[in-house]
Structures are given as structure tokens and as C-alpha cells.
Amino acid sequence: MTILCVRFQLPVMYEAALPGLLGLLEEFTPVVEALPPDGALADLRGAQRYFGRDAAELATLIRVRALAHHGVDCAIGAGPGPMLARMALREAAPGTVRVVPGEPDAVTAFLAPLPVRALPGVGGVTARTLCEYGLDTVGKLADAPLSAVQRLVGARAGRELHEKANGVDRGRVVPNAVSRSLSTERSFERDELDPVRHRRALLSATEELGTRLRDLERVCRTLTLTVRYADRSATTRSRTLAEPTAHSAALTAEAYRMYEALGLQRARVRAFALRAEGLTSAEQTAHQLTFDPVDEKVRRIEEVADRARARFGPRAVMPGALAA
């Protein structure tokens, strides 16, 4: 089995091209899983036999077609399973293809020198625990006794990590799977104290999330804000929205309320991350009508702005604060 993990180099806030790029992948295989905002997994089991080409040749052909038909380059990782394909993608430079052969020796050679943090499911705390006992690479983790790993991180987690370190990939590609969340991040070149710049970063993030949600015809139920500070600490807050929405103004207002509730004052902020969670279909969601003509006018303007951005690019229409 060969899986491709593709990351398209789409411009910021411009996800309208993704459906067409997914259609490009479906010309090779019907087993395609979207990874919004800019990626996908594709199972090439049947495609290799049908086209008489190996994974590297098919990946190169996909890249050339994406450039020719859509003007979009991509990086591609290929491996015998989804986990290894994702890890190969991390090692692939933009515009290149990185292939992990399916032979056990080749998988071991690829995994062994990687830091243990590269394994999916290994967070900062787990990585520090493993490194304290000398298990700082995937190869060392794979060679360690299973019982020792389980004592360090727990029975279930230890077994899963030990299997992953030994190249056991139990993942699969789920066709037409819909992402349950979308996220974006805004970082500052320097630790930022100015509340005006903080709010401008939040406005940019909510505008992007709103545009992406509407492109996908989804709405979100929950908005989560993470603030990262200069000392590497972080604060996270979540709010359930009054009603599921993809309306940028509603997302912005909620993000501002969470930000103000933190009372940061003179906090040195390094980055903001926003995540829209609990995504559902916009067609199956009700919107509470109001008698406020301003709200209806803003929503109509938003629809026109979306059409302009889809035609002329993501910076065709934007709030004045961001244009400045």
C-alpha cells in the first residue's frame, strides 16, 4: 500500500482552489481524504497498478498537473501508510517529493535518526519524559523494551508509540472525511505589547477563518483562542457561540470578547492562535433573523466580498484596518 500526503502551496486566505485540486487527485484514485486548508491524503493502491507507475512517478505527475492546470505547486510525502506519508511530507522541501519505500529496512532507516518528537502523538511532556531516560530518537524508542516504554508513558500510549517507532502504521485514508476544526495563527516579528496590534491580528485571523468556513460551506459552534507569551507560556479560552456561524463579524466580536476577558494589559504577546471547532454543514444550520438592517447589510456585503476574493485573489477586499 502506498499513501501520498500532499500539501498545496496555496496563498494565505485562499482555499477556493482546494476543491479543484482534490478533483485532480481523484483523477488518479477515488480514495482521497481532504486535509483543509491546503492538504490531502490519497491511497494509490489501485493507481499504481492501473497506470503502471510507482509512487514517485505518480507524485511527480500530480505535481506537474497541479502547476499546469491550477498554477499551484506542492510538496508531497509518500509512504506505506498515512503516518509515514505525513512524516515524509515534513521532510520534503517545497516543490519536492519525499518517498519512504515500503520495505521494513527502508522504513527503519527513515525513522531511526528522527527525534522522538517527530512521532505523531508525542507532545512536549511525553518527549521530555522519554528524553530524560535517553530515548531521544525514534530508533532508540523502537529498540527499547515495550514494558519499559509503558512504565514511562502508560500502557496504552506506550504500546501505540512503540508500534509507531517500529513503523507499524494502523491509519487509513477515509474518503470525503470532513475536518472537524479549522485553525490559523498570527505571530509577531517581536513580542508585542500594543493592544491595537493585538486586535488587528485577531481581526486578520477571524477574517481568514470566516472566509475558509464559507468556502467550505461550513459553520462553527465553538471558537478557541490561544495566546502565546514571550516566556513561552500560553493561555487558552473557548467560547460556544450563540448560534453556529461562519459570519466574520460574529467571529471577530467573539474573539475580541475573549481577548478583553483575559485582561492582558502590558503582556508581551508572541502569537495568537484561533481555532473554529464543531464544524457542521451551513445548509443544515438555522440563522436567527433580526430586525437590524445593519446586520443584513453586512452579510450581503460579505457575500459580494467573497465573490470578489474568489475571482481576484484574497487581498481584493479586506477590512480597512488590515489594508493599512
Side-chain angles (χ1 to χ4, degrees), residues 67-151:
L67 276 168
H69 296 170
H70 300 274
V72 174
D73 204 350
C74 59
I76 301 178
M83 179 193 78
L84 290 166
R86 289 172 186 261
M87 295 178 72
L89 177 62
R90 294 187 198 134
E91 301 294 314
T96 64
V97 177
R98 178 71 165 90
V99 179
V100 179
E103 294 78 14
D105 290 344
V107 172
T108 300
F110 170 73
L111 290 175
L114 296 177
V116 71
R117 186 71 172 81
L119 278 180
V122 178
V125 175
T126 302
R128 284 194 296 272
T129 301
L130 294 172
C131 290
E132 286 174 359
Y133 288 87
L135 305 179
D136 57 345
T137 67
V138 177
K140 292 178 181 178
L141 180 61
D143 293 337
L146 172 60
S147 58
V149 179
Q150 289 178 316
R151 282 196 297 271

Side-chain angles (χ1 to χ4, degrees), residues 2 4 20 52 74 85 99 146 148 155 160 184 195-197 251 269 278 289 291 318:
T2 300
L4 294 187
C74 59
V99 179
L146 172 60
E160 291 178 353
T184 187
V196 174
R197 292 183 180 273
L251 297 175
V269 175
L289 298 177
F291 292 103
M318 65 176 63

Side-chain angles (χ1 to χ4, degrees), residues 41-62:
L41 287 170
D43 188 336
L44 296 183
R45 274 181 295 186
Q48 288 178 282
R49 292 192 297 269
Y50 182 82
F51 291 100
R53 298 172 182 265
D54 61 23
E57 292 172 332
L58 287 174
T60 301
L61 183 57
I62 288 170

Side-chain angles (χ1 to χ4, degrees), residues 293-314:
V294 174
D295 179 71
E296 186 60 30
K297 181 179 180 180
V298 170
R299 290 178 184 270
R300 288 200 301 269
I301 292 173
E302 190 173 69
E303 293 176 2
V304 174
D306 285 344
R307 290 196 293 270
R309 281 190 286 260
R311 182 171 182 181
F312 300 109

Side-chain angles (χ1 to χ4, degrees), residues 95 102-103 132 209 228 270 288 321 323:
E103 294 78 14
E132 286 174 359
L209 282 182
R228 297 190 178 91
R270 179 162 295 177
Q288 178 63 51

